[in-house]
Amino acid sequence: MANWVYKLDEARDGLWDVSLGTSDSALKVDGWAHTGLKVATLEAGGSVQLPSASEERIVVPLNGAFTVMVDGVEHQLAGRASVFTGPSDVLYSGINKALTISSRDGGRVAIATAPAHNSYPTRLVTAASIPVELRGAGNCSRQVHNFGTPGALEADRFIVCEVITPAGNWSSYPPHKHDEEKEGETALEEIYYFETQVAAGSPAPVDADAVGYQRVYASDERPIDVNAEVRTGDTVLVPYGWHGPAMAAPGYDLYYLNVMAGAGPVREWLISDDPHHGWIRQTWDKADIDPRLPFSA
């Protein structure tokens, strides 16, 4: 059975807290071909480098501010205090670009990657310009930052966004899939990178074991069965199958960064709902968005 869940210590590789991609030795999944993710924690004045490669990349500050050098040009990412304080500036690098990422004061940064062939220009996407979507309703309410989706970013292969789910809510719900190229659906691998925190106003102690949960299960004859506890730094791979819900336990907020890509003819997120649970969408018209949203600085 392939390893679909990577706890933080399992995904480490040298300077990287998380290093999962099509050529990374930590990845124990045969056939994984379209998406990758790296996460680094930098001390004050620290830096990491990525060599030129035939992959597109997007740099996402998780906490702290960063400078990204691409083609001799410095790009300043103002960053944020944490992933739970709203969107951050991000940088799309295009393909065949070497990157140097540094931080004056230190912080944690993610780099989403995907093998690509077509060249698009390097682009700084400012926090103020990122489309913020409030999706679902009631206890299915969540906040989506669409900085790397087709409507917001010109890119070759990948679709990248991040989601904040308030304590006690469900997201990635109803369970859905995107594992076939057919009418109304595109085939996309997907990575979920998670962070958690004690929710504002929660009676939990500050050092409580903030935890969430992720579910993935088979949509056809291909076996997959994931019921995973997730914490900050944990990653779940979705090669195929129904996935959802991603559950924020009561008292703990849940964040995840999604990286999706595939080999299909179009760069588009088209999904099919699990027919047993798709009815939940009909209830959202009569429910309000969770008043805790949006999260912002």
Side-chain angles (χ1 to χ4, degrees):
M1 177 69 73
N3 186 12
W4 309 122
V5 181
Y6 287 83
K7 309 306 285 184
L8 181 57
D9 287 341
E10 296 174 299
R12 290 185 186 274
D13 180 18
L15 294 174
W16 301 103
D17 297 340
V18 174
S19 182
L20 299 173
T22 57
S23 61
D24 286 298
S25 59
L27 196 60
K28 304 179 182 69
V29 179
D30 291 336
W32 193 265
H34 303 292
T35 56
L37 177 71
K38 291 183 179 293
V39 177
T41 301
L42 300 185
E43 300 295 332
S47 66
V48 290
Q49 296 181 336
L50 288 168
S52 174
S54 57
E55 64 180 22
E56 56 188 352
R57 297 160 174 161
I58 191 163
V59 180
V60 183
L62 301 173
N63 70 275
F66 296 87
T67 300
V68 186
M69 177 78 77
V70 185
D71 286 338
V73 178
E74 288 189 349
H75 303 269
Q76 303 298 328
L77 306 185
R80 52 191 165 182
S82 88
V83 294
F84 296 101
T85 55
S88 167
D89 301 339
V90 303
L91 183 77
Y92 174 77
S93 71
I95 64 172
N96 298 317
K97 306 284 187 180
L99 275 64
T100 299
I101 304 168
S102 59
S103 179
R104 186 189 68 179
D105 299 318
R108 193 166 60 257
V109 63
I111 304 97
T113 70
H117 302 287
N118 296 316
S119 178
Y120 290 87
T122 298
R123 180 181 168 193
L124 174 65
V125 183
T126 65
S129 69
I130 291 173
V132 176
E133 175 189 0
L134 301 184
R135 187 178 296 172
N139 67 349
C140 292
S141 301
R142 58 272 204 186
Q143 176 174 330
V144 186
H145 302 157
N146 288 304
F147 53 78
T149 55
L153 178 71
E154 259 197 325
D156 186 19
R157 300 309 309 169
F158 63 21
I159 298 169
V160 187
C161 65
E162 58 186 11
V163 180
I164 303 172
T165 308
N169 284 11
W170 287 26
S171 61
S172 280
Y173 199 75
H176 57 281
K177 73 180 184 77
H178 37 74
D179 58 12
E180 296 180 88
E181 288 291 336
K182 66 178 186 179
E183 183 70 26
E185 187 176 334
T186 45
L188 302 167
E189 291 177 354
E190 184 164 14
I191 296 174
Y192 281 71
Y193 165 82
F194 291 94
E195 298 206 356
T196 57
Q197 73 166 12
V198 173
S202 171
V206 173
D207 61 350
D209 183 22
V211 64
Y213 296 87
Q214 171 75 357
R215 178 77 172 117
V216 186
Y217 57 100
S219 59
D220 53 30
E221 72 282 354
R222 293 171 290 181
I224 189 167
D225 187 7
V226 174
N227 285 289
E229 285 189 357
V230 293
R231 296 170 176 81
T232 293
D234 293 344
T235 308
V236 174
L237 307 183
V238 183
Y240 48 77
W242 306 114
H243 46 287
M247 294 169 280
Y252 308 126
D253 298 322
L254 182 69
Y255 162 96
Y256 50 87
L257 175 65
N258 280 149
V259 187
M260 293 173 275
V266 296
R267 176 180 170 247
E268 195 167 1
W269 184 64
L270 299 177
I271 65 171
S272 298
D273 287 339
D274 183 335
H276 293 96
H277 305 294
W279 58 266
I280 191 67
R281 293 186 189 275
Q282 301 170 25
T283 69
W284 294 346
D285 291 339
K286 299 178 182 179
D288 294 328
I289 294 285
D290 191 314
R292 292 173 293 179
L293 297 177
F295 281 67
S296 60

